Amino acid sequence: MGNSPVFKEWLNAFDNKNPFLIAGPCSAETEKQVLETAHLLKNTPTQVMRAGIWKPRTRPGNFEGIGKKALKWLQKAKQETGLLIATEVANPQHVDLALQHDVDILWIGARTTVSPFNVQEIAEALKDTKKIVLIKNPVNPDLELWLGAVERFYKQNITNIGVIHRGFSSYKKKKYRNIPEWQIAIDLQNRYPDLPLILDPSHIAGRRDLIFDLCQTALDLNYDGLMIETHPNPDKAWSDAKQQITPKKLSEITEKLQIRKKASKSSDFQKNLTTLREKVDSLDEEIMDSLIKRMQLAKEFGQIKKEHNVSILQNERWNMVLDKMIKHGKTGNLSEEFILKIFKAVHQESIEHQKHILHKK
Ligand code: PEP
Ligand code: MN
């Protein structure tokens, strides 16, 4: 899969003054709800209406979707409003039904992307399609798995593709329902700069008050579009009630969002940018030099531990170092999570260097 500009072609067919916007309920519930949502979305910048028909629930017994019958409701929504329609497909039968009902965008859910067998079957069912296929990230933070799914579609001669970043499941539930791990999406963007990248803030957030900030971050990171769960009566939604917003709220959010230019030709901007980049480059060099020096010291540690036959890991000392660094980081507003990540990585590398010395005959 080369860096083919062909990927952006489908996206360029939409008005791109604003971010590409997909909105609509987590699930289609009733004909009335689907049509009401569609008409309300018509007054927002939404270009495509989404609705889940087959819902992959983590636990059985939750609402599992209306099924095939709801495809007719979506078709009717499209006829009445002119909005394009999108739904999730999780197997070849879903694909057939969605194609029969002229669904414009088919997306692959996070629980499907994790399975290369499922993805392969769906990709084969869609072979040569001109429909738009959007691939959500897998539930686990694995860039290769995500890319693998994209490549399976591309290999079936499907080029109208894009990806949706919906966050990653984590055992430690904190602020987000699914942690964003922005770096994974940025890595994907670096590998395939022409692959349209869409944020799904609803499934990352899990709650409606975080949606605006997530959308703004995505635009600041040059994402191409947004997919936002929208419901006429969010609290009464049959699935994902806490994270859905009303069409009115959707309009407020889109109005507030700042679209930033990828670059500016103003010479002041360029000069400031260059100066800042030089400073950052020199700090990065300093960080690298310090790391190199630190690992040389690790080797010396290894040497004396070897001479005195002492184990590499000295827990007490390590906890003290971590504690001190977390406190220090806080004085500059660095998060504990960030400090832990860095120092665990540094410690791991340092253990490797010490091991090398200890194991040398
Ligand atoms: C959805 O979009 O409603 C959905 C089920 O999403 P995900 O596959 O990201 O969990
Ligand atoms: Mn949902």
Side-chain angles (χ1 to χ4, degrees):
M1 200 170 107
N3 262 330
S4 170
V6 83
F7 294 138
K8 281 253 199 284
E9 258 172 37
W10 68 263
L11 187 69
N12 291 336
F14 290 89
D15 144 45
N16 42 27
K17 282 196 295 296
N18 292 309
F20 174 62
L21 182 60
I22 306 176
C26 178
S27 308
E29 298 164 2
T30 63
E31 181 169 1
K32 182 169 167 287
Q33 170 245 12
V34 169
L35 295 176
E36 186 187 347
T37 313
H39 285 280
L40 291 169
L41 288 177
K42 197 59 200 154
N43 302 320
T44 70
T46 304
Q47 286 139 324
V48 181
M49 176 172 176
R50 63 152 282 155
I53 306 274
W54 300 283
K55 300 305 297 178
R57 308 315 302 187
T58 300
R59 308 274 307 270
N62 291 329
F63 173 57
E64 293 190 334
I66 294 288
K68 168 176 161 189
K69 177 164 89 175
L71 286 168
K72 293 254 181 311
W73 308 340
L74 277 181
Q75 260 188 317
K76 202 161 167 189
K78 176 167 155 177
Q79 275 158 14
E80 290 186 10
T81 62
L83 289 169
L84 298 187
I85 50 176
T87 201
E88 171 175 351
V89 291
N91 62 41
Q93 292 76 43
H94 296 166
V95 167
D96 285 346
L97 286 165
L99 295 180
Q100 279 165 32
H101 290 81
D102 212 17
V103 169
D104 303 285
I105 297 187
L106 297 88
W107 85 78
I108 310 303
R111 292 164 193 75
T112 306
T113 309
V114 289
S115 163
F117 288 131
N118 281 12
V119 171
Q120 185 64 29
E121 274 181 359
I122 300 169
E124 284 173 16
L126 279 165
K127 188 174 175 53
D128 297 328
T129 190
K130 290 287 161 239
K131 297 277 182 194
I132 298 162
V133 179
L134 300 178
I135 300 131
K136 285 203 172 194
N137 66 256
V139 280
N140 50 323
D142 184 340
L143 175 61
E144 293 301 312
L145 200 52
W146 196 4
L147 285 174
V150 174
E151 285 157 3
R152 283 178 200 279
F153 285 94
Y154 185 66
K155 283 196 158 178
Q156 298 301 320
N157 192 30
I158 302 166
T159 49
N160 292 333
I161 45 184
V163 291
I164 303 177
H165 173 206
R166 52 77 78 195
F168 302 90
S169 156
S170 146
Y171 188 65
K172 284 185 287 176
K173 291 264 175 332
K174 282 199 184 154
K175 180 170 166 188
Y176 299 110
R177 174 179 175 194
N178 291 294
I179 46 174
E181 302 273 20
W182 296 100
Q183 192 54 47
I184 295 181
I186 293 168
D187 288 345
L188 184 136
Q189 211 179 25
N190 280 336
R191 284 250 213 130
Y192 295 116
D194 290 306
L195 200 57
L197 174 59
I198 294 166
L199 183 80
D200 169 349
S202 311
H203 290 88
I204 292 181
R207 41 186 258 216
R208 54 184 79 101
D209 60 315
L210 301 176
I211 291 184
F212 173 79
D213 281 349
L214 286 164
C215 292
Q216 188 60 62
T217 303
L219 297 188
D220 295 344
L221 295 171
N222 299 327
Y223 279 49
D224 300 284
L226 304 164
M227 183 200 245
I228 305 179
E229 283 192 340
T230 311
H231 191 286
N233 192 351
D235 287 328
K236 292 274 157 41
W238 298 3
S239 58
D240 291 349
K242 288 203 188 77
Q243 70 197 30
Q244 303 208 53
I245 56 172
T246 59
K248 183 162 169 279
K249 183 79 195 162
L250 178 72
S251 290
E252 285 167 22
I253 288 181
T254 52
E255 266 162 43
K256 254 196 343 193
L257 285 172
Q258 299 271 335
I259 302 173
R260 305 197 212 277
K261 289 174 283 188
K262 282 203 181 143
S264 163
K265 291 202 170 67
S266 127
S267 66
D268 260 5
F269 166 80
Q270 287 300 347
K271 220 168 53 212
N272 290 342
L273 195 68
T274 310
T275 322
L276 280 173
R277 280 185 178 152
E278 275 164 10
K279 284 188 188 155
V280 164
D281 285 352
S282 107
L283 275 178
D284 285 346
E285 294 291 331
E286 277 177 37
I287 294 177
M288 281 316 296
D289 284 341
S290 297
L291 284 173
I292 292 170
K293 278 192 208 134
R294 200 189 185 290
M295 294 311 153
Q296 276 158 358
L297 289 176
K299 284 188 191 151
E300 290 179 31
F301 269 126
Q303 195 57 43
I304 56 170
K305 285 179 187 169
K306 185 178 185 173
E307 280 161 23
H308 294 87
N309 201 23
V310 171
S311 66
I312 294 179
L313 185 64
Q314 301 287 317
N315 261 324
E316 225 172 285
R317 150 102 186 136
W318 168 233
N319 284 332
M320 254 168 51
V321 171
L322 260 188
D323 229 41
K324 210 165 91 187
M325 289 304 122
I326 289 170
K327 283 204 187 95
H328 191 159
K330 281 197 174 139
T331 64
N333 267 336
L334 304 186
S335 76
E336 180 166 338
E337 196 189 347
F338 171 66
I339 304 283
L340 281 173
K341 256 193 212 153
I342 292 201
F343 276 88
K344 279 186 182 165
V346 168
H347 190 226
Q348 186 57 46
E349 182 72 12
S350 158
I351 288 177
E352 294 303 321
H353 285 268
Q354 297 188 45
K355 250 169 46 188
H356 199 72
I357 300 287
L358 262 86
H359 296 174
K360 211 158 63 186
K361 292 261 159 39

